[in-house]
Amino acid sequence: MAIEKSKQEAETRFKEPSREILELRQRWKWVERSIWTDKMLTALENGVKGGKWFSLIDKIVNEVNLYGAWERVSRNKGAAGIDKISIEKFNEKATFYLNEIKDQILSQTFTPNAVKRVYIPKGDGKTRPLGIPTVKDRVVQAAIKQAIEPIFEKEFLDMSYGFRPGRGAKDALRAVDNALKEGYTWVVDADIQGYFDNIPHDKLMKKVESKISDSKVLNLIESFLKANIMEEMNSWTPTQGTPQGGVLSPLLANIYLHDLDVLMTKKGFRMFRYADDFVILTQDESSAKQALEIIRTWVDEHGLTLHPEKTHLGNCALKGQGFEFLGYRFENGYRFVRKKSMKKLKGAIHDKTKRTCGMSLQMVIKRINPTLKGWFEYFKQAHKTTFADIDGHIRRRLRAILRAQEKRPGMGWTHDDHKKWPNKFFREVGLFSLEQAHAHFLSQSRCGNS
């Protein structure tokens, strides 16, 4: 009998998965398989008793999950936190640190370190705060994320695009473009003021608790929300917000705004959201005004504030009433690159094309081409005049370098410079041309190859 039972178990273990199981795995191909087994995924799709998940802490400290979390943190690189342990230093003792993490979480003695706050420049010349947790804390957050993200992904709606598996900014832009073509040209362009810094902890945790009942996991998440913030010599404990830079922050931000997604969808509005950046498109002014009032009410009730200067309503089919979304400006039936995005590109080009850089033209071009190619890949849907203007700007910068190498003053504007180094010259030395790339993209689109 025992031999027969072992034989049956072996046959089951090596049996080819059914078509249903293969389709299930394909739908959830991005999950951490050490946690989200076929059985777990089936329960996720069918629903669990009471709609809440228990006993997740053992999944978080699963050795394969912790190691997978460390690999993800390692790939993303990033600076060291306040303990000064870099990715490289952590890697030297990775097994020790991962075992330490496991023991501390299971014994409930794990405490996050303070988050180092730095400020990074924005496109408008201002700065925004960025939190840098320690590598160890990033690993723990990644391990939590891998365990709980599918639970909430099951609930999230299609109109949410930011920081979600298999979705991104291009998908959001494509959806907005389609809605505009369908006549949804009245826009509510809403901006939540300091969203990540102002999410109320108590309200956020209630939303997390609506799906998770494991108190150890909930306490772990809350400990990261309340981790001290250190800025130079000052330190304080936050009472609200989830720091930008934390691995968990984007997921928590999406969890908090999910109810707004549900509300606007139930009301019949076309809303498109990328994290805290969202627009609502309607076919008439009265619907747009109604949508804005609903948003104002929801935001007020959830402890947030709409930015008074960055929230507006208008008909983007008309000149001067456009809106900005994910780097583009939609106006008068066209897509333009918004001024901040253009300024950011030119700033990057300026840094790599200084007249006194001391490099050969070929080396300078080798430095800027990857920037231009990456920028074009995202902004290739912009109005055609964009690309010739930028190409001309770059060539002027390069002519200025060539003048400097000849010990001549000037910025490459003169007619003689254009004759000496014509556009063809730069093509022949390998400069990536945005205008030519755009022309090729349009020809491919007309042929149905794009």
Side-chain angles (χ1 to χ4, degrees):
M1 181 69 70
I3 294 174
E4 185 64 29
K5 184 178 180 181
S6 297
K7 183 179 178 182
Q8 289 175 354
E9 288 176 349
E11 288 175 350
T12 300
R13 191 160 57 247
F14 294 107
K15 184 180 178 181
E16 283 291 324
S18 65
R19 186 184 69 182
E20 289 76 12
I21 291 297
L22 291 174
E23 291 174 350
L24 178 74
R25 292 176 183 175
Q26 180 62 26
R27 287 194 295 273
W28 297 94
K29 60 184 178 181
W30 54 272
V31 302
E32 172 53 58
R33 294 289 294 161
S34 67
I35 299 175
W36 291 96
T37 61
D38 295 339
K39 184 178 179 180
M40 287 273 287
L41 289 174
T42 300
L44 178 66
E45 291 205 344
N46 293 338
V48 292
K49 187 177 180 180
K52 291 189 176 185
W53 289 78
F54 298 82
S55 303
L56 290 171
I57 197 69
D58 61 311
K59 310 295 191 300
I60 290 172
V61 297
N62 176 295
E63 290 180 3
V64 178
N65 181 50
L66 283 175
Y67 188 78
W70 154 238
E71 283 189 321
R72 284 171 171 77
V73 170
S74 178
R75 284 198 301 269
N76 291 334
K77 299 182 180 179
I82 63 165
D83 62 359
K84 298 183 180 179
I85 296 177
S86 64
I87 293 289
E88 293 74 22
K89 285 186 178 180
F90 191 99
N91 187 49
E92 292 172 3
K93 298 172 63 178
T95 301
F96 170 80
Y97 287 129
L98 295 178
N99 285 330
E100 183 180 59
I101 286 170
K102 179 178 180 178
D103 293 341
Q104 288 178 348
I105 291 176
L106 288 176
S107 63
Q108 299 185 63
T109 58
F110 176 83
T111 303
N113 289 283
V115 176
K116 182 168 70 175
R117 173 168 282 191
V118 297
Y119 290 86
I120 59 175
K122 294 169 63 176
D124 56 3
K126 298 179 181 178
T127 60
R128 68 177 176 89
L130 179 70
I132 304 177
T134 62
V135 175
K136 182 178 178 180
D137 289 345
R138 299 205 294 267
V139 170
V140 177
Q141 288 191 43
I144 297 170
K145 184 171 182 280
Q146 289 173 172
I148 71 172
E149 186 172 28
I151 296 170
F152 295 97
E153 268 296 320
K154 174 68 168 53
E155 307 298 319
F156 290 161
L157 303 184
D158 287 344
M159 42 72 65
S160 166
Y161 295 90
F163 306 107
R164 295 185 58 191
R167 303 169 74 80
K170 289 184 180 180
D171 301 306
L173 290 166
R174 191 178 301 112
V176 166
D177 206 46
N178 289 338
L180 291 172
K181 290 173 181 176
E182 292 170 16
Y184 290 79
T185 59
W186 278 91
V187 60
V188 178
D189 184 7
D191 183 278
I192 300 176
Q193 195 163 5
Y195 174 61
F196 281 85
D197 288 333
N198 291 296
I199 301 173
H201 288 172
D202 56 342
K203 289 183 170 64
L204 171 59
M205 287 307 302
K206 284 180 180 178
K207 293 179 186 295
V208 177
E209 290 166 14
S210 70
K211 293 295 174 187
I212 296 174
S213 286
D214 189 323
S215 60
K216 290 181 179 179
V217 174
L218 295 172
N219 291 338
L220 200 54
I221 294 171
E222 192 165 19
S223 72
F224 281 109
L225 292 176
K226 297 186 180 301
N228 283 353
I229 295 175
M230 182 168 287
E231 183 179 336
E232 295 181 348
M233 300 303 293
N234 299 318
S235 177
W236 70 93
T237 302
T239 57
Q240 59 188 22
T242 174
Q244 294 188 61
V247 179
L248 265 177
S249 292
L251 175 59
L252 296 176
N254 275 333
I255 290 171
Y256 199 69
L257 286 176
H258 172 64
D259 287 346
L260 177 61
D261 299 345
V262 173
L263 175 63
M264 299 306 289
T265 301
K266 282 184 177 179
K267 295 286 186 182
F269 290 108
R270 302 281 294 273
M271 177 167 152
F272 308 90
R273 183 172 67 80
Y274 192 95
D276 60 326
D277 191 1
F278 60 91
V279 294
I280 299 93
L281 297 177
T282 71
Q283 292 181 309
D284 55 74
E285 184 178 7
S286 62
S287 296
K289 288 181 177 179
Q290 181 187 3
L292 181 55
E293 285 309 307
I294 293 171
I295 290 169
R296 286 192 192 281
T297 300
W298 189 93
V299 165
D300 290 343
E301 290 174 351
H302 287 76
L304 301 169
T305 306
L306 287 182
H307 198 297
E309 296 175 2
K310 296 182 180 179
T311 299
H312 82 280
L313 181 151
N315 183 355
C316 69
L318 304 177
K319 192 173 182 180
Q321 294 191 40
F323 66 96
E324 295 180 352
F325 187 57
L326 300 179
Y328 279 94
R329 180 170 181 80
F330 293 83
E331 183 175 321
N332 200 23
Y334 297 105
R335 274 204 217 183
F336 302 94
V337 178
R338 72 171 187 167
K339 291 180 180 179
K340 289 181 182 178
S341 301
M342 188 68 77
K343 185 177 180 181
K344 185 177 179 180
L345 172 66
K346 289 186 176 180
I349 296 301
H350 279 221
D351 289 342
K352 296 177 181 180
T353 58
K354 292 180 179 177
R355 293 182 75 250
T356 56
C357 64
M359 289 187 289
S360 68
L361 180 66
Q362 287 76 11
M363 284 300 298
V364 174
I365 288 173
K366 189 175 180 180
R367 289 182 72 200
I368 64 175
N369 271 352
T371 300
L372 297 175
K373 290 176 181 178
W375 189 89
F376 175 76
E377 185 56 34
Y378 187 80
F379 286 106
K380 60 187 176 185
Q381 298 280 1
H383 193 275
K384 62 182 181 180
T385 57
T386 304
F387 307 102
D389 290 345
I390 300 173
D391 278 350
H393 174 77
I394 294 167
R395 287 191 295 265
R396 286 192 293 274
R397 299 283 302 177
L398 296 179
R399 289 185 183 107
I401 291 174
L402 293 170
R403 286 180 68 93
Q405 290 175 353
E406 293 183 350
K407 310 278 191 229
R408 292 192 294 145
M411 298 302 295
W413 288 85
T414 69
H415 180 67
D416 288 342
D417 288 331
H418 283 261
K419 288 174 63 178
K420 186 172 184 177
W421 302 299
N423 297 354
K424 181 182 177 182
F425 167 80
F426 293 104
R427 289 197 299 270
E428 290 175 348
V429 293
L431 177 64
F432 180 77
S433 168
L434 294 168
E435 186 177 22
Q436 285 188 334
H438 186 248
H440 178 71
F441 166 69
L442 291 181
S443 67
Q444 292 293 98
S445 299
R446 295 188 192 102
C447 296
N449 297 324
S450 177

